Amino acid sequence: MRIKFLGTSSAVPTDERGLPSILVKTSGDSLLLDCGEGTQRQIIRSKESLMRINKVVITHLHGDHFFGLPALIQSLSILRKGSELKIIGPKDLDPLLEHIERVTYSKPNFRVVFEEITEGVPIEFGKFYLEFFPVEHAGFETYGVKINEKDRPGRFDPDKADELGVPPVLRGVLQKGFSVKLPSGRIVRPQDVMGPPRRGAVVVYSSDTRPTDKVIQAAKGADLLIHEATYLHDLKERAVATGHSTALEAANVAKAAGVKRLALTHFSARYRNEDMERFREEAQSVFDGEVIIARDFLTIDL
Ligand SMILES: [Zn+2]
Ligand SMILES: [Zn+2]
């Protein structure tokens, strides 16, 4: 799985940062987490394909998180996207998109399927599945997202295969999960030569939120927590008033959840990229793991 930040500003874009959107690429599907205005241009600038995107998750209906979506749908229609686009979001998003489609006479020429976010109802995403949980964003319906990779097959043990006399030509078949019959007539099953399944990667995205136990629970032991850090802690009062988090608060969430890595994003437009070391210092003062300061086009591989 590859994570690419397309926009890392909050509320308004700056000359350095676009509005919120994160591209999640897997070997099959590509997914957008939020789609702020200007996202499609960020995708093109990052040399990624618009056409490969087949799912978009909108975590809440603040304009900076979804105003790029009607524009993306229109471009995909002009570019003649063949397959369907699935949009996952709060229920009010569906009539809103339908209305835009109607009044702008821009019916897409591919299938757009809407799926309402429901807590506890996972959504399949290739070798992954998505789970959603409500967060605390000043009383506004907002969801965090957990991306779970399904378990990976166990490691192949070549010594075991030697011991059982499995010829090289049959080893790939076992690795794909099928039993084989040896020339001697003996049946070898995948579990005879493979270790136990390995846990897949887990990534959690907080969306916009005050620090909350919901994120901590979802992110327990996650490989990566992407948490908003709209402000530095000297503006905590402002964070409370607007339903956002400070870098210090995001780091406390990461610490409580015991995640491996913390990526901070969604920075207020008052900060410039040269201020970002202060976010790192603040987060690192409480969180021992790796702190990543997201910037537009930053890529993380898992
Ligand atoms: Zn926001
Ligand atoms: Zn918001």
Side-chain angles (χ1 to χ4, degrees), residues 60 62 137 208:
H60 65 302
H62 278 154
H137 187 33
D208 289 7

Side-chain angles (χ1 to χ4, degrees), residues 128-292:
F128 299 77
Y129 60 96
L130 309 171
E131 291 177 295
F132 303 90
F133 52 93
V135 292
E136 289 173 27
H137 187 33
F140 201 80
E141 184 183 9
T142 306
Y143 296 94
V145 186
K146 182 173 185 178
I147 306 170
N148 305 275
E149 186 180 13
K150 294 172 187 168
D151 282 347
R152 301 171 185 178
R155 274 182 220 290
F156 182 74
D157 184 343
D159 294 337
K160 267 274 179 60
D162 284 346
E163 211 176 282
L164 294 169
V166 181
V169 67
L170 292 179
R171 294 184 182 194
V173 181
L174 285 161
Q175 281 171 290
K176 284 193 182 117
F178 300 104
S179 299
V180 297
K181 190 172 185 183
L182 303 185
S184 63
R186 178 176 186 172
I187 303 288
V188 179
R189 300 162 307 163
Q191 60 265 42
D192 297 332
V193 291
M194 308 277 287
R198 291 170 288 167
R199 189 186 76 100
V202 173
V203 176
V204 170
Y205 170 46
S206 73
S207 184
D208 289 7
T209 186
R210 289 289 300 143
T212 161
D213 199 48
K214 294 277 190 183
V215 175
I216 296 171
Q217 291 310 321
K220 279 270 181 245
D223 299 275
L224 175 68
L225 169 62
I226 302 169
H227 202 291
E228 73 125 290
T230 308
Y231 302 106
L232 288 165
H233 206 65
D234 58 347
L235 290 183
K236 184 187 167 191
E237 270 178 38
R238 181 133 185 84
V240 173
T242 54
H244 289 295
S245 300
T246 69
L248 190 76
E249 290 172 328
N252 275 322
V253 169
K255 184 182 181 181
V259 301
K260 292 197 184 93
R261 295 199 275 179
L262 167 67
L264 299 179
T265 186
H266 197 272
F267 307 111
S268 160
R270 76 190 62 221
Y271 302 109
R272 295 197 57 79
N273 281 356
E274 64 201 33
D275 300 319
M276 290 300 134
E277 269 319 295
R278 292 165 63 202
F279 281 78
R280 186 191 306 281
E281 279 164 21
E282 204 170 279
Q284 213 85 74
S285 71
V286 293
F287 177 63
D288 291 336
E290 184 188 356
V291 176
I292 299 164

Side-chain angles (χ1 to χ4, degrees), residues 1-3 23-31 52 54 125-128 147 149:
M1 172 171 29
R2 168 168 282 185
I3 306 283
L23 176 68
V24 181
K25 265 179 95 172
T26 69
S27 53
D29 296 358
S30 284
L31 164 87
R52 270 198 54 181
N54 40 26
F125 169 48
K127 290 180 182 158
F128 299 77
I147 306 170
E149 186 180 13

